[in-house]
Amino acid sequence: MEDYQDIRQHILIDRRHGGPYDRGSADSYYRRPRRPHFYKGDTGTSDRVEYKDMTPDEVVAYMAGYDDNEESGDHKEWF
């Protein structure tokens, strides 16, 4: 099986608000644990899709968003 980085390079990642990449990025930003999910439309105003109902490409997109944000070091500062 291809590893995660190889798969990531071969899929088109949807970066829309509420999409898997966006949600992964947001979870990392707020220092939440990895829990793949996304919204069919905008975050919080549309149906939420949970990990068990995600496609492999959607899970990869979520992980990519999480990892990209972790790599950037951009996290919410809680003062």
Side-chain angles (χ1 to χ4, degrees):
M1 179 167 158
E2 293 180 278
D3 76 4
Y4 162 71
Q5 292 299 328
D6 290 339
I7 294 169
R8 179 180 170 174
Q9 292 178 22
H10 290 67
I11 67 168
L12 177 62
I13 294 179
D14 178 3
R15 296 173 187 254
R16 71 172 177 78
H17 179 70
Y21 183 93
D22 174 69
R23 295 296 79 213
S25 173
D27 283 350
S28 166
Y29 177 78
Y30 289 107
R31 298 185 185 268
R32 295 186 290 243
R34 290 177 195 258
R35 290 201 180 115
H37 69 282
F38 71 97
Y39 290 88
K40 290 185 177 182
D42 289 339
T43 302
T45 62
S46 63
D47 292 337
R48 181 176 163 130
V49 178
E50 300 296 338
Y51 173 75
K52 66 182 182 62
D53 299 316
M54 292 172 69
T55 68
D57 285 355
E58 290 164 344
V59 173
V60 167
Y62 173 93
M63 297 298 193
Y66 199 100
D67 290 345
D68 286 351
N69 193 74
E70 287 293 302
E71 187 176 310
S72 77
D74 184 24
H75 296 103
K76 171 83 173 152
E77 294 296 328
W78 304 96
F79 295 101

